[in-house]
Amino acid sequence: NWSLQRRKGLFLFKGSETEGRADRDGASDTEGKQDVPEVPVPADDTPEVLNKALSGLSSRWKNWWVRGILTLAMISFFFFIIYLGPMVLMMIVLCVQIKCFHEIITIGYSVYHSYHLPWFRTLSWYFLLCVNYFFYGETVTDYFFTLVQREEPLRILSKYHRFISFALYLTGFCMFVLSLVKKHYRLQFYMFGWTHVTLLIIVTQSHLIIHNLFEGMIWFIVPISCVICNDIMAYMFGFFFGRTPLIKLSPKKTWEGFIGGFFATILFGILLSYVMAGYRYFVCPVEFNNDSNSFTVYCEPSELFQLQYYVLPSVLQSATGWTTVRLYPFQIHSIALSSFASIMGPFGGFFASGFKRAFKIKDFANTIPGHGGIMDRFDCQYLMATFVNVYIASFIRGPNPSKVIQQLLALRLDQQLHIFNSLKAHLIEKGLLPAVEEAA
């Protein structure tokens, strides 16, 4: 009897334990579902003119024409802002950054607005202001050194720039701590992380895009154009020939589109680089002229943008009958840029697709009919910007004499004299200074 009762007790204990685990799992599932409400789906805002003109087509072909027409419009606008010059390009990058940040923060607010979290949007925009002040302040100090040193208020702001930036961020941090509300701690920290990850993805990458632009407009235009070309050609190949799904995150992406877009982008990058490398307007670094208080893009092109002869491998010699080809060295670098845009660039889009699936939305916004929001068009561009910046720093950029001189001029007079004597001794040791004096 005792053993029978003991077995019954163990059975009841295991049953209650199983039920408790099931209850906890069910509660956690329910809590997870309640924590992520669905985001309202934006209405279709395709222009009425296009709706009437394409009313007789199926939804598949209607979407194809809408995307095509608006893609041509965006490409035309891109050419127009390139014509307006680097300053306008920088302003456009800043505007795109703000709009992308707005779209992502709006999703967070749409999901969690029912919880009445205090100061969420206010703090998000405040942190955006702080981070932009830090990054753009660094850029102004680097590229507008003479102008900054000429104006006393700018010189003071430049000297204490990082301290001011930290003080601004610290103010926002304290405001967040003071805004914490009982029973919503975890959710508020979720949104604090949401804002900071958004800043990392959006603001940091847009800052790198501007740095790439200062290296020469070709380092801005070619990478962006390669991503655009890959997006268009992958869509075209996938639309007409796509049969094999590529990744579950994006069911419409196909292997046929991925491979076709790769080869088309490589060819496009080589051709575009050949055309642009012959113009100083595109290849010269963007510099600020202190005399005219404007940007200049005039220089003597480096070897990277001068035609050279290259001997083809034996396999290509037998296939083409050519022994040598005449190319710009930048065209070889463009193959690396095009390859990254075609192979790794789409993963920025896959990341965005996973994000949208997590919140059950089709697009980040409905700013551009047929394309979604601005973030939907620039999800691959930000990843490309980081690669280009790292590529330039690793394989292209050398010491910059103008920046070294700027740093020297910022030193005290006794420090400048010490560096002058050290440099003079070094040149005498190398035998260069006497040759210069004799020639003089």
Side-chain angles (χ1 to χ4, degrees), residues 43-272:
D44 179 26
D45 63 343
T46 304
E48 191 63 29
V49 177
L50 289 179
N51 278 329
K52 289 182 179 179
L54 305 174
S55 59
L57 299 176
S58 63
S59 59
R60 182 169 181 260
W61 279 100
K62 178 183 176 182
N63 183 63
W64 190 88
W65 278 103
V66 170
R67 287 175 65 94
I69 292 170
L70 292 174
T71 297
L72 291 176
M74 287 188 288
I75 292 174
S76 301
F77 177 72
F78 183 58
F79 285 137
F80 177 68
I81 60 175
I82 290 173
Y83 171 77
L84 294 177
M87 190 65 187
V88 177
L89 281 173
M90 293 178 199
M91 296 304 298
I92 292 295
V93 170
L94 179 61
C95 292
V96 168
Q97 173 218 114
I98 293 173
K99 186 65 176 72
C100 290
F101 182 84
H102 170 259
E103 290 178 359
I104 297 179
I105 291 300
T106 299
I107 291 174
Y109 182 74
S110 299
V111 170
Y112 297 115
H113 74 281
S114 59
Y115 293 91
H116 303 293
L117 300 182
W119 298 1
F120 167 58
R121 286 195 294 186
T122 303
L123 284 174
S124 296
W125 287 103
Y126 177 80
F127 282 126
L128 176 67
L129 178 65
C130 293
V131 175
N132 271 312
Y133 175 80
F134 171 74
F135 279 127
Y136 284 93
E138 295 279 317
T139 301
V140 168
T141 302
D142 287 342
Y143 293 100
F144 301 86
F145 178 80
T146 308
L147 176 63
V148 169
Q149 293 299 315
R150 198 167 60 198
E151 302 292 336
E152 183 65 18
L154 293 178
R155 192 175 63 81
I156 295 174
L157 288 175
S158 174
K159 183 177 180 180
Y160 301 106
H161 171 68
R162 296 197 174 185
F163 181 81
I164 295 171
S165 300
F166 178 72
L168 289 173
Y169 178 83
L170 197 61
T171 302
F173 180 82
C174 294
M175 290 170 62
F176 168 75
V177 173
L178 294 175
S179 71
L180 291 174
V181 178
K182 191 176 181 180
K183 297 183 180 180
H184 290 313
Y185 293 150
R186 181 183 297 181
L187 192 56
Q188 286 182 282
F189 278 102
Y190 283 163
M191 301 314 299
F192 185 76
W194 180 297
T195 300
H196 281 67
V197 171
T198 304
L199 292 171
L200 175 66
I201 294 174
I202 302 299
V203 182
T204 306
Q205 313 304 321
S206 64
H207 176 68
L208 295 180
I209 289 176
I210 291 179
H211 269 258
N212 299 339
L213 179 59
F214 275 108
E215 295 293 330
M217 292 179 66
I218 196 169
W219 291 104
F220 173 85
I221 297 171
V222 170
I224 286 181
S225 299
C226 285
V227 172
I228 293 172
C229 174
N230 181 255
D231 191 29
I232 294 173
M233 298 312 297
Y235 177 77
M236 296 289 286
F237 276 95
F239 186 86
F240 290 105
F241 309 109
R243 296 291 184 274
T244 312
L246 176 62
I247 187 170
K248 291 182 179 180
L249 282 173
S250 297
K252 294 183 179 180
K253 299 289 192 301
T254 62
W255 276 104
E256 291 81 4
F258 185 78
I259 296 171
F262 171 78
F263 287 106
T265 305
I266 295 292
L267 179 61
F268 172 81
I270 294 174
L271 295 176
L272 180 64

Side-chain angles (χ1 to χ4, degrees), residues 356-419:
K356 289 183 284 188
R357 279 179 170 271
F359 293 96
K360 301 178 182 179
I361 56 176
K362 181 182 178 182
D363 298 311
F364 283 96
N366 58 352
T367 309
I368 310 171
H371 291 269
I374 299 296
M375 189 64 201
D376 291 286
R377 293 300 91 211
F378 284 86
D379 48 10
C380 302
Q381 297 287 2
Y382 288 120
L383 195 61
M384 187 72 187
T386 305
F387 172 74
V388 174
N389 191 268
V390 171
Y391 189 87
I392 292 173
S394 302
F395 304 109
I396 305 298
R397 185 191 297 132
N400 191 329
S402 62
K403 285 193 176 182
V404 174
I405 292 174
Q406 289 177 2
Q407 292 173 349
L408 289 175
L409 294 176
L411 299 175
R412 299 193 310 269
L413 292 178
D414 59 321
Q415 293 174 325
Q416 294 179 22
L417 184 61
H418 175 72
I419 292 174

